[in-house]
Amino acid sequence: MEKIIFFGLIIPILIFMVYLGGRAIMTGFSAKSANRESSELSSDDDLENPINKEQNLSSELEKLNELLKSGALTKEEFEKEKDKLIEGLKSQKKDIDAISGRVGDALSYGKTHAYGEFISEQTINNIKFEDILEYHAKYFIPNNVYIVVIGDVNYKEVKSLISEKFGAWKKGKSINDPEPILTENVALTEINFVDLPTATQSSIQVTNNVNLKMNDEDYFSALMANDILGGGGEGYLFKNLREDKGYTYGAYSSLGSNRYGVSKFRAGAKVRN
């Protein structure tokens, strides 16, 4: 379950973003360089010509399409990403914020819940390169992708260009992954401790699972209430625990929401030992 649920979602996306993003950035630099050189030979009227704009957009969409088609993940990139993740874990071993986050999620949702699992060196090494390729083939399909175009463009022209450049991209099999379920809150108050002798501060967190979606009637009211309580320097928690009592440098709260209604409220502060 560790392999399928957690790293089946995280590692493939991370690797592909690093790979595709790097290629796209370099392509963008090349395009900008070419445009800069050509602009020195073009008049302002040529640069503002709608035909040139459409040609540039068409060219960029073609490059994006080529990137999508040639997005071959390599084993070398895969191993580099695994090494980075493992090194990151080492730096978090004595980080009270990282520890608090992992333990808090595991306690709130359960260690076998998709939101309660956390990375370990063992779970990283459970993933093989073949898992990445399988995930990419399963999820990177046109019926699971958004293409966003922002700028001085014409909707009909852009829609036509996208249909032209990506129309041959065949739909994949519909994916119906199980939705996460909200874990019930504990029946009685629980106090959990993590002993970290090397820490110079203690991190205190109070948490409670909530069922909040963006289309709920009280969604914005709930966010406003959280802002008043601990959304920032003007919140009650900050004013009381820092400005009035001087217990901490900062005390805040957050209220989560998502499409499944599986999230939590959290309030916390760090204080000297």
Side-chain angles (χ1 to χ4, degrees):
M1 293 297 290
E2 290 177 329
K3 172 179 173 179
I4 295 173
I5 295 177
F6 193 83
F7 279 95
L9 295 174
I10 301 299
I11 290 186
I13 294 175
L14 177 61
I15 295 175
F16 190 72
M17 286 178 64
V18 170
Y19 164 76
L20 185 57
R23 286 283 300 274
I25 290 171
M26 293 308 297
T27 302
F29 283 154
S30 299
K32 286 181 179 179
S33 177
N35 288 339
R36 197 179 302 114
E37 292 174 2
S38 63
S39 67
E40 295 176 358
L41 303 174
S42 304
S43 66
D44 291 340
D45 292 338
D46 289 336
L47 291 175
E48 294 300 323
N49 191 327
I51 296 177
N52 288 344
K53 288 183 178 181
E54 184 176 342
Q55 289 175 343
N56 288 337
L57 179 59
S58 177
S59 175
E60 292 305 313
L61 286 173
E62 181 63 36
K63 291 173 184 176
L64 177 58
N65 189 28
E66 288 299 318
L67 282 171
L68 297 180
K69 290 190 294 186
S70 64
L73 300 167
T74 69
K75 192 162 186 178
E76 180 183 4
E77 291 167 340
F78 170 69
E79 295 298 338
K80 286 180 179 179
E81 289 305 315
K82 285 180 66 174
D83 290 342
K84 285 181 184 178
L85 286 170
I86 291 172
E87 285 301 312
L89 285 179
K90 293 177 181 178
S91 67
Q92 294 176 6
K93 283 185 176 180
K94 297 181 180 180
D95 185 324
I96 60 172
D97 291 325
I99 295 171
S100 175
R102 289 197 299 268
V103 173
D105 287 342
L107 290 171
S108 294
Y109 301 112
K111 291 188 292 183
T112 60
H113 192 283
Y115 294 171
E117 294 180 308
F118 53 85
I119 302 175
S120 70
E121 189 168 345
Q122 180 183 354
T123 56
I124 292 176
N125 288 324
N126 281 345
I127 300 299
K128 308 302 179 187
F129 181 59
E130 291 71 22
D131 298 322
I132 305 301
L133 299 179
E134 181 182 342
Y135 182 94
H136 180 265
K138 179 180 179 181
Y139 287 95
F140 200 74
I141 51 178
N143 42 314
N144 200 35
V145 166
Y146 288 99
I147 297 178
V148 181
V149 180
I150 301 174
D152 182 15
V153 294
N154 179 280
Y155 170 75
K156 290 184 178 179
E157 292 174 355
V158 170
K159 184 178 179 180
S160 176
L161 281 172
I162 289 176
S163 297
E164 175 191 338
K165 304 300 182 184
F166 301 96
W169 195 8
K170 295 182 179 180
K171 288 186 177 181
K173 184 179 179 181
S174 296
I175 302 165
N176 295 310
D177 288 327
E179 296 184 358
I181 299 173
L182 181 67
T183 305
E184 291 187 8
N185 285 302
V186 293
L188 300 173
T189 301
E190 287 188 4
I191 301 176
N192 300 275
F193 294 93
V194 177
D195 184 26
L196 190 63
T198 58
T200 57
Q201 296 185 95
S202 294
S203 175
I204 302 172
Q205 300 287 335
V206 178
T207 184
N208 188 72
N209 291 352
V210 297
N211 181 352
L212 182 64
K213 300 177 182 178
M214 293 182 70
N215 59 358
D216 286 345
E217 184 177 347
D218 59 352
Y219 172 72
F220 290 104
S221 299
L223 293 188
M224 290 178 65
N226 177 71
D227 283 345
I228 294 171
L229 174 65
E234 295 299 315
Y236 288 165
L237 292 177
F238 188 94
K239 286 184 175 181
N240 183 277
L241 297 178
R242 174 178 173 168
E243 294 186 0
D244 184 30
K245 303 294 193 300
Y247 292 155
T248 177
Y249 282 113
Y252 309 96
S253 66
S254 63
L255 180 63
S257 65
N258 67 20
R259 61 186 298 185
Y260 307 113
V262 181
S263 192
K264 62 182 180 179
F265 164 81
R266 180 167 56 190
K270 285 187 286 190
V271 297
R272 287 191 305 175
N273 292 338

